[in-house]
Amino acid sequence: MPDSPWRLDSSKCTECSACERSCNHGVITCSGDGAKGLPRQRDDRYCNSCGHCVAVCPTDAITVKGIRAVEKGALPTPEMLENLFAFRRSTREFLPDAIPEAVMDKLLHAARLAPSGCNNRRLGYQVLSGQAEVIALGRSLDRMARPFARVLGNSMAQRTLGLVNRGFVRNLTNQNMIGGMNSLLDKTEGWKDGDKGDWIALDAPALIIIHGDPGASTPKDDAVIAATFITLYAETLGLGTCFNGVLTGFLNDFPGALRKVGIAKPRKVYSVLSVGYPDTKRVAFKKGLVRD
């Protein structure tokens, strides 16, 4: 099949049929068409480029476009992984230091290793680098949110808007949004443009905004899994992260907010990470936590 991303080098194939056994969709068969024992694709429309056939082939006879096979290296011990899980904390105090581009590339590479529903891989990653740019975005969203925060602070307004129960208004009147709006007023009372500080983006030197196609099979799950891969890998690089649910909601819910970060509808933001080097002079975690 000339347009298929799947290729076989028959000179390397040992006809072991491991690829056929690994193919969850039954796309690969190892018999027929006058090439007995050699694998072929029955119908490449059902191949989702999962790479199982590449991973099981002992002789590198199969290649799939966009996938590179690597040799299995040493794996962390269970104790090492548990230690990583226990010591990872959400970071909300960052140094202003920029994250080098090569380090950011490593984080995005980790995200691309994450699984996705039906191997659909339709996530996008928008990186906002530089503390000044991140703070500017946070303060811009703060100005957009403040009028709604004042309205939603009134219980009568909450009930009235709740009757609309549609689109943007429905999102505004859910209890999480109301709680966030009340928190906004408490945290930023008396702030004026130009004041230092950004409670929305946490003064981080970078944001990783993960967005997806709402028509994909599991876009939210895919984004959260990819973000988790980033957060765990970030720990090994000395970086701190925080899942920024407030920013995720604001980018999706406020008209025009997605344009500020270069994302076009109908795509949606499913996860945002504030990322940077932790300010350990302000907050230094000494111990991990294990929950019962």
Side-chain angles (χ1 to χ4, degrees), residues 67-137:
I67 294 176
R68 178 170 54 91
V70 296
E71 295 301 319
K72 187 175 182 178
L75 296 178
T77 65
E79 292 76 18
M80 292 169 65
L81 271 180
E82 184 177 356
N83 189 61
L84 174 60
F85 297 157
F87 275 82
R88 193 213 70 82
R89 311 298 306 157
S90 293
T91 299
R92 293 180 176 84
E93 300 287 347
F94 295 99
L95 295 173
D97 306 36
I99 300 173
E101 185 176 347
V103 174
M104 183 60 73
D105 286 344
K106 289 183 177 181
L107 295 179
L108 297 179
H109 173 68
R112 288 190 286 270
L113 296 176
S116 67
C118 300
N119 199 47
N120 138 329
R121 305 202 171 272
R122 285 153 72 179
L123 294 178
Y125 301 88
Q126 203 79 345
V127 177
L128 191 62
S129 295
Q131 191 183 54
E133 289 77 9
V134 172
I135 290 177
L137 173 66

Side-chain angles (χ1 to χ4, degrees), residues 245-257:
V246 170
L247 193 46
T248 301
F250 282 8
L251 287 173
N252 284 321
D253 290 339
F254 289 123

Side-chain angles (χ1 to χ4, degrees), residues 198-220:
D198 163 35
W199 79 275
I200 294 177
L202 306 176
D203 289 346
L207 296 174
I208 299 177
I209 302 168
I210 306 176
H211 55 96
D213 180 352
S217 56
T218 54
K220 183 176 181 180

